Amino acid sequence: MIKHFISILLTTCIFQVSARTLTAVNYSDSAFKKKNYRASTTLQNDIVHTRLDVKFDWDKAQLTGKASITAKPYFKPSAKLDLNARGMNIHSVEVYDVSVKNQKPGMTNNNPEILSNNKLKSSYRYEHDSLKIDLGKEFLADEKYLVKISYTARPNELTTGGSAAINSDKGLFFINPKNEEKNKMPQIWTQGETMASSAWFPTVDTPNEKMTNEIYMTVDDKYTTLSNGLLKESKKNGDGTRTDHWKMDLPHSPYLVMMGVGEFKKVTDLPWNGKEISYYVEKEYAPYAKGIFGNTKEMISFYSEILKTPYPWQKYAQIVVRDYVSGAMENTSATLHGDFMVYQTDREMIDGKKGEDVIAHELFHQWFGDLVTAESWSNLPLNESFATYGEYLWEEYKNGRDAADAHSYKSRMGYFNEAQKKQVEMIRFEYENREDMFDAFSYNKGGQILHMLRKYVGDATFFASLKLYLEKNRFKSAEIHHLRLAFEEVTNEDLNWFFNEWFLAKGHPELEISKKYDVSGKMLTLTVKQKQDLNKTPLYTLPVDLDLYYSGKKERHRIIIDEAEQEFKIACPVNPDLVNFDAERQLLGLKTYSKSIEESFFQYQRAPLFSDRLEALNHLKGNLDRPEVYRLMLSAAENDPWWELRIKTIGILKNAGLAKETDLKPLLIKIASSDKNTNTRAFAIEALGELYHGDDLDVLYLESLKEQSYAVVSSALEAISDSATAMQKTRSFESEKNENVFSAIATVYGKYGSDKQVDYFTRAKNNFSYFGYITYIKGYASFLQRCVKPSSFETAANDFIEVIKTGNDYVSNFTKKAYKEQILDVLTAKAKAGDKVAAGEFERMKTKLEVLYKTVTPS
């Protein structure tokens, strides 16, 4: 903080001195325009507790509710309470004085008794989504009052917004409420982040508000419910309904309050320290729930131990819903997942658990985001950077350093991809829209920054600092300086330089590195230049480790780069075989560092990390003509410890193709038959199918079709080159509900199929939901190129229309584009290419389908 604010102070002083010599200052200049500073919400009143009594009207997609809000002034006396309440019908508002002097013995602040003389002469105004209440009395800071609000929430009538991360902010979602969509269970769920909880209950909808809460949900008896905290009571009402009472008696922010309703099956796992662990899934996935979420208990134990802070909430539940507007949400003690993020059968999980990282991410939020919450959306990295780093920590613990570094590499590339489009500070006080904070900076870059901080201070110090941060801010909100101060207290070191450069400034370092060795002086000189634009990006202080490899040993040196250009001299008895810059591969930056083929060869063989080997392979891939490089690639394809690098190496070797068939083909057959990772085997089969032919391969493909791995099966289907065999084998997999297999079938039918297969695509539609429809439409569109009957395009058009109506804007727009390009435009082309009779048929079908298209794309 000191370095950042000193620079601002100096700029101000320079202007003041210069101003003495000027006769006038042009205040219309952009430098003097007022900044749109996004301050943390100033809280005049504190919501202590919220009780909600809710019922649902499925046909109208509305909630009828009664909110009982216990509140008090923060410090200054107050006679007013302002609440966020978006798009509601407010039926009545009553205010009661429930301060301590008016309570009977035994009454609690969270469940005050309303005495007959407690009701105050209050009034309210409801305008612009704000409920402004005149309490009828001025209350002091230690005096509580109760506000009772009767209301109706109408989420489907809201003017909604959203972002790339959360594509709707209507808060309360009725999914297939009238049970009109096949294969989709009717359900209700909520999504509170960022400011959407106030679409279904009145509250102070800001992350720096903390409250306890309870919800009484009245539902048809067939439905299961879920909310925060514990289910205290479930009472049948005698009219076919049931009221479930959920209570969260630990404080958390309003955006973390949740509800879920539907015919979910609750699967209970082994408890953690007496606390229930449970999973709420659709009936079809109940047999697989423990496979999908089965590492949850181990994750809770791991995070509790490494943070020295036990899991703080009463239980941990995870629920999987349809048509979710984001990926997943860390509601306190009750995480919500989109079905496309986690649902898999046991057979699908053979190729890897696709939801493992998101499960870890949302669980880590229970500490970072829920227990301690960013006080404003400007400080969102305090939530999302940590959750992203939680993924790394779990991978490292469970699957090893290679797995963690491979995961981190993808996250890093995600940041660099977005950094090409924009550069912003991590902690942003001048964002245009709070939803803009949900980007590759708050997530990806933040996770990388935390890793750098860990590598700088060391593991013991890093986790001791996190423990202190969590202890000091428990059940509170925090800003970035709370985190810095916790680290400074543990390290006894001023860390302003790190936080200023990485959290409060834009950009990343761009380094140019060179080295030379003085034989006579036995001295290595390393030159490092910081080449980033210093007008926009800091001159960084970069602690970096160097590993020198020579005479069969490794020697580590730490250097501190803090100038635009620096030389580092290191005594070394011989010219090193390798100078491995940033040996921990922790630095978030771009570097230019030329190495010889011999150095990269040595690096792959001797440097230990995933990123060392990846970098070496990238340096060597253009040199397959050198025998030693080619041999190394053959060995890496078969023997690299990490499966994704084996896949990468196979991809590099494919460039050798037919010229190296003698040794490459048998190697790929061996990998396809025996690699311990099914994805690597599948990729080897794919490479064989692209490069080579032969009876031996046909035998391999047919044997591979007997595998349980969908990845292997789908690659084998696509690799079969004989059309008759491919069509015959493909038909036997039509009943499989797996995207990889569907894509393989679509590929085969796109090569060899005919109009007869259009019925398959209509049936397959029921196997997809939400973003899975993208795979479906792509495969369908590819197949349509082979269709010659106008009726096939009509069938496809009706299938596309159903997908367009699913309600997901991204999927809908994608499908509309495919409808135009793969149906209407193709019909136009066929009308021009066919004989007169065929042309007329295609033209008439095009006209008919244009009319249908307009029903979903009104002008």
Side-chain angles (χ1 to χ4, degrees):
M1 186 171 76
I2 293 173
K3 184 175 181 183
H4 179 66
F5 287 113
I6 283 178
S7 64
I8 294 176
L9 221 74
L10 287 172
T11 304
T12 306
C13 293
I14 290 169
F15 167 71
Q16 290 172 341
V17 172
S18 301
R20 295 190 186 112
T21 65
L22 299 175
T23 57
V25 176
N26 181 8
Y27 285 96
S28 66
D29 187 274
S30 62
F32 298 99
K33 286 182 180 177
K34 184 177 180 180
K35 298 293 186 181
N36 190 20
Y37 179 76
R38 304 291 186 176
S40 300
T41 302
T42 300
L43 299 174
Q44 186 175 5
N45 292 277
D46 179 23
I47 296 180
V48 178
H49 183 75
T50 297
R51 167 178 167 159
L52 300 174
D53 294 76
V54 301
K55 297 179 180 180
F56 306 98
D57 186 328
W58 290 78
D59 287 337
K60 294 181 180 179
Q62 293 182 351
L63 174 151
T64 301
K66 294 181 180 179
S68 301
I69 301 171
T70 304
K72 66 180 182 64
Y74 257 97
F75 183 75
K76 296 180 181 178
S78 177
K80 298 182 183 299
L81 173 66
D82 290 349
L83 298 173
N84 304 109
R86 293 178 53 215
M88 295 179 180
N89 287 336
I90 304 297
H91 306 303
S92 65
V93 176
E94 298 175 344
V95 181
Y96 298 84
D97 184 351
V98 292
S99 54
V100 175
K101 63 186 177 184
N102 287 327
Q103 288 192 38
K104 288 183 177 180
M107 293 294 103
T108 67
N109 291 335
N110 289 349
N111 189 25
E113 181 181 18
I114 302 174
L115 302 177
S116 58
N117 63 345
N118 282 34
K119 188 173 181 180
L120 301 173
K121 291 183 178 180
S122 61
S123 61
Y124 72 91
R125 287 183 298 115
Y126 180 54
E127 56 188 15
H128 307 302
D129 292 336
S130 180
L131 180 58
K132 300 179 182 298
I133 304 170
D134 187 328
L135 300 173
K137 171 189 170 180
E138 186 173 75
F139 288 86
L140 302 178
D142 60 349
E143 295 179 328
K144 292 183 175 64
Y145 54 88
L146 177 68
V147 178
K148 302 190 73 170
I149 304 165
S150 177
Y151 66 97
T152 300
R154 307 167 298 158
N156 287 1
E157 299 173 42
L158 291 173
T159 300
T160 59
S163 66
I166 308 168
N167 62 43
S168 175
D169 64 352
K170 66 182 183 180
L172 177 65
F173 295 81
F174 290 78
I175 306 303
N176 193 21
K178 299 179 182 180
N179 203 16
E180 296 171 333
E181 295 182 61
K182 297 177 182 177
N183 303 303
K184 184 182 290 185
M185 181 184 78
Q187 56 198 255
I188 298 169
W189 45 264
T190 61
Q191 165 57 37
E193 196 173 35
T194 54
M195 194 175 170
S197 285
S198 52
W200 63 277
F201 69 95
T203 190
V204 177
D205 207 351
T206 180
N208 59 337
E209 177 62 86
K210 294 273 186 171
M211 66 180 190
T212 55
N213 76 281
E214 57 190 317
I215 303 179
Y216 291 78
M217 270 185 272
T218 298
V219 297
D220 289 348
D221 196 34
K222 66 180 179 179
Y223 290 127
T224 299
T225 69
L226 176 66
S227 188
N228 317 93
L230 297 177
L231 180 61
K232 306 299 288 187
E233 183 183 20
S234 189
K235 178 182 177 182
K236 294 192 177 184
N237 300 317
D239 60 355
T241 67
R242 188 185 76 252
T243 299
D244 287 351
H245 175 203
W246 288 91
K247 188 168 186 179
M248 165 56 77
D249 56 9
L250 297 171
H252 64 150
S253 296
Y255 79 90
L256 297 167
V257 176
M258 72 82 66
M259 294 187 300
V261 179
E263 292 185 73
F264 294 100
K265 297 299 179 183
K266 178 183 176 182
V267 178
T268 303
D269 216 332
L270 294 174
W272 181 84
N273 284 10
K275 297 182 178 184
E276 180 182 282
I277 296 175
S278 55
Y279 320 121
Y280 292 70
V281 297
E282 294 177 40
K283 176 176 62 177
E284 180 183 355
Y285 283 93
Y288 313 117
K290 288 186 179 180
I292 295 167
F293 297 108
N295 287 328
T296 299
K297 180 180 178 181
E298 188 178 359
M299 284 183 186
I300 294 174
S301 293
F302 167 64
Y303 288 147
S304 296
E305 174 58 31
I306 201 169
L307 295 170
K308 296 295 186 287
T309 304
Y311 176 77
W313 309 107
Q314 305 93 324
K315 62 119 180 3
Y316 191 57
Q318 297 176 83
I319 186 170
V320 186
V321 304
R322 294 288 193 100
D323 296 355
Y324 187 49
V325 295
S326 189
M329 180 64 203
E330 66 274 12
N331 307 300
T332 314
S333 79
T335 283
L336 185 149
H337 297 278
D339 63 327
F340 53 91
M341 295 296 290
V342 297
Y343 269 163
Q344 287 177 292
T345 64
D346 288 345
R347 187 173 178 183
E348 287 173 315
M349 284 184 274
I350 291 172
D351 300 319
K353 293 185 178 183
K354 69 178 182 179
E356 189 81 349
D357 291 326
V358 73
I359 291 167
H361 180 108
E362 305 308 329
L363 177 58
F364 209 55
H365 265 311
Q366 300 297 315
W367 287 267
F368 296 93
D370 295 7
L371 182 60
V372 181
T373 307
E375 71 171 23
S376 67
W377 301 117
S378 297
N379 285 276
L380 182 66
L382 287 175
N383 296 3
E384 296 301 346
S385 299
F386 273 104
T388 301
Y389 196 53
E391 299 172 35
Y392 181 95
L393 294 172
W394 171 251
E395 285 284 359
E396 183 182 36
Y397 163 79
K398 185 66 175 176
N399 300 312
R401 179 74 185 268
D402 271 2
D405 286 352
H407 180 72
S408 178
Y409 172 77
K410 295 169 201 168
S411 184
R412 176 179 295 216
M413 291 303 102
Y415 160 68
F416 282 129
N417 182 58
E418 190 153 349
Q420 293 177 348
K421 305 168 190 173
K422 68 177 184 180
Q423 271 298 346
V424 292
E425 298 89 350
M426 289 291 296
I427 307 299
R428 277 164 270 172
F429 293 106
E430 295 168 7
Y431 56 75
E432 289 186 20
N433 187 307
R434 60 183 177 271
E435 305 294 341
D436 296 341
M437 290 296 300
F438 294 82
D439 58 14
F441 293 81
S442 294
Y443 288 74
N444 308 45
K445 185 179 183 181
Q448 300 289 319
I449 291 171
L450 291 173
H451 190 59
M452 287 191 293
L453 184 56
R454 174 187 172 190
K455 291 301 178 180
Y456 174 66
V457 301
D459 279 14
T461 302
F462 181 78
F463 291 110
S465 300
L466 297 188
K467 177 178 184 289
L468 181 62
Y469 169 78
L470 292 170
E471 285 177 348
K472 285 201 166 188
N473 301 289
R474 187 178 182 87
F475 301 122
K476 299 177 183 177
S477 60
E479 60 179 306
I480 192 64
H481 301 300
H482 290 100
L483 181 65
R484 174 180 59 81
L485 290 168
F487 271 86
E488 290 186 344
E489 184 170 337
V490 172
T491 62
N492 198 31
E493 177 183 353
D494 188 329
L495 291 171
N496 272 293
W497 61 272
F498 184 92
F499 282 79
N500 287 341
E501 291 171 8
W502 289 107
F503 283 106
L504 299 174
K506 302 176 183 179
H508 50 258
E510 298 177 17
L511 305 180
E512 183 181 287
I513 303 155
S514 59
K515 65 183 186 311
K516 60 182 179 180
Y517 183 72
D518 179 5
V519 177
S520 60
K522 300 186 182 305
M523 187 69 67
L524 172 74
T525 301
L526 188 76
T527 302
V528 183
K529 299 177 182 178
Q530 296 197 43
K531 305 291 286 187
Q532 66 272 13
D533 184 350
L534 297 180
N535 291 316
K536 300 177 181 178
T537 306
L539 179 63
Y540 287 92
T541 297
L542 303 173
V544 173
D545 290 331
L546 303 176
D547 278 353
L548 273 57
Y549 291 82
Y550 64 92
S551 304
K553 64 179 181 179
K554 180 177 72 175
E555 184 179 282
R556 176 159 291 189
H557 299 265
R558 172 162 288 194
I559 61 173
I560 306 294
I561 304 163
D562 57 5
E563 297 177 15
E565 182 173 351
Q566 279 174 280
E567 283 191 352
F568 300 92
K569 295 186 178 297
I570 304 170
C572 190
V574 296
N575 191 5
D577 299 300
L578 174 68
V579 179
N580 199 9
F581 182 87
D582 185 25
E584 279 295 324
R585 290 294 189 263
Q586 50 82 39
L587 182 62
L588 179 62
L590 300 175
K591 66 179 181 181
T592 302
Y593 182 19
S594 296
K595 292 177 186 170
S596 67
I597 291 176
E598 291 73 22
E599 287 174 310
S600 293
F601 194 94
F602 184 94
Q603 179 172 313
Y604 180 83
Q605 292 185 314
R606 295 290 301 277
L609 301 181
F610 162 88
S611 297
D612 294 317
R613 306 196 306 278
L614 173 63
E615 183 181 88
L617 290 173
N618 283 330
H619 284 176
L620 293 169
K621 65 184 179 182
N623 296 278
L624 287 179
D625 56 326
R626 294 184 57 151
E628 72 276 18
V629 172
Y630 178 65
R631 287 193 299 271
L632 181 141
M633 292 289 181
L634 291 175
S635 175
E638 184 179 4
N639 301 311
D640 191 278
W642 186 243
W643 64 273
E644 286 174 302
L645 287 186
R646 297 199 296 277
I647 286 177
K648 179 180 179 63
T649 312
I650 293 170
I652 293 171
L653 286 167
K654 279 168 59 177
N655 294 324
L658 296 176
K660 299 290 187 180
E661 182 173 356
T662 303
D663 38 32
L664 184 53
K665 182 180 175 181
L667 174 67
L668 291 176
I669 291 174
K670 181 180 180 182
I671 294 170
S673 303
S674 60
D675 194 279
K676 57 188 175 183
N677 183 273
T678 56
N679 296 291
T680 308
R681 293 176 58 202
F683 193 78
I685 291 172
E686 181 183 320
L688 286 165
E690 291 178 17
L691 295 173
Y692 308 119
H693 300 284
D695 292 342
D696 53 345
L697 295 184
D698 290 336
V699 171
L700 171 68
Y701 302 151
L702 293 176
E703 285 298 311
S704 297
L705 292 179
K706 301 174 185 177
E707 296 280 348
Q708 285 296 297
S709 162
Y710 280 129
V712 171
V713 166
S714 58
S715 288
L717 279 176
E718 292 189 27
I720 294 173
S721 58
D722 179 78
S723 59
T725 305
M727 290 295 290
Q728 176 193 357
K729 294 297 181 182
T730 297
R731 280 192 287 270
S732 67
F733 287 95
E734 284 189 353
S735 61
E736 297 291 346
K737 299 179 179 181
N738 175 266
E739 286 190 23
N740 286 338
V741 173
F742 169 81
S743 295
I745 293 173
T747 299
V748 172
Y749 287 168
K751 285 181 181 179
Y752 309 120
S754 66
D755 295 87
K756 289 188 294 185
Q757 277 75 48
V758 73
D759 288 343
Y760 164 71
F761 288 91
T762 297
R763 294 194 308 273
K765 180 173 73 274
N766 294 329
N767 299 335
F768 293 88
S769 66
Y770 218 56
F771 289 113
Y773 283 123
I774 299 295
T775 300
Y776 172 73
I777 293 297
K778 284 181 177 179
Y780 206 155
S782 174
F783 159 74
L784 284 174
Q785 305 300 313
R786 292 191 59 82
C787 293
V788 296
K789 293 181 179 180
S791 60
S792 295
F793 289 88
E794 184 174 17
T795 300
N798 286 311
D799 291 334
F800 279 38
I801 291 293
E802 281 194 46
V803 174
I804 289 169
K805 290 180 177 179
T806 57
N808 179 310
D809 288 342
Y810 182 83
V811 170
S812 179
N813 291 332
F814 180 88
T815 308
K816 288 175 185 176
K817 186 173 185 290
Y819 189 118
K820 181 180 182 305
E821 294 177 354
Q822 306 301 329
I823 296 179
L824 299 180
D825 291 354
V826 171
L827 284 172
T828 299
K830 288 183 179 292
K832 292 179 180 179
D835 59 33
K836 189 172 182 179
V837 174
E841 291 179 356
F842 281 118
E843 190 62 44
R844 283 189 291 276
M845 182 58 70
K846 178 195 170 191
T847 301
K848 181 178 181 179
L849 298 187
E850 281 179 330
V851 173
L852 183 61
Y853 183 63
K854 287 178 181 178
T855 65
V856 291
T857 56
S859 57

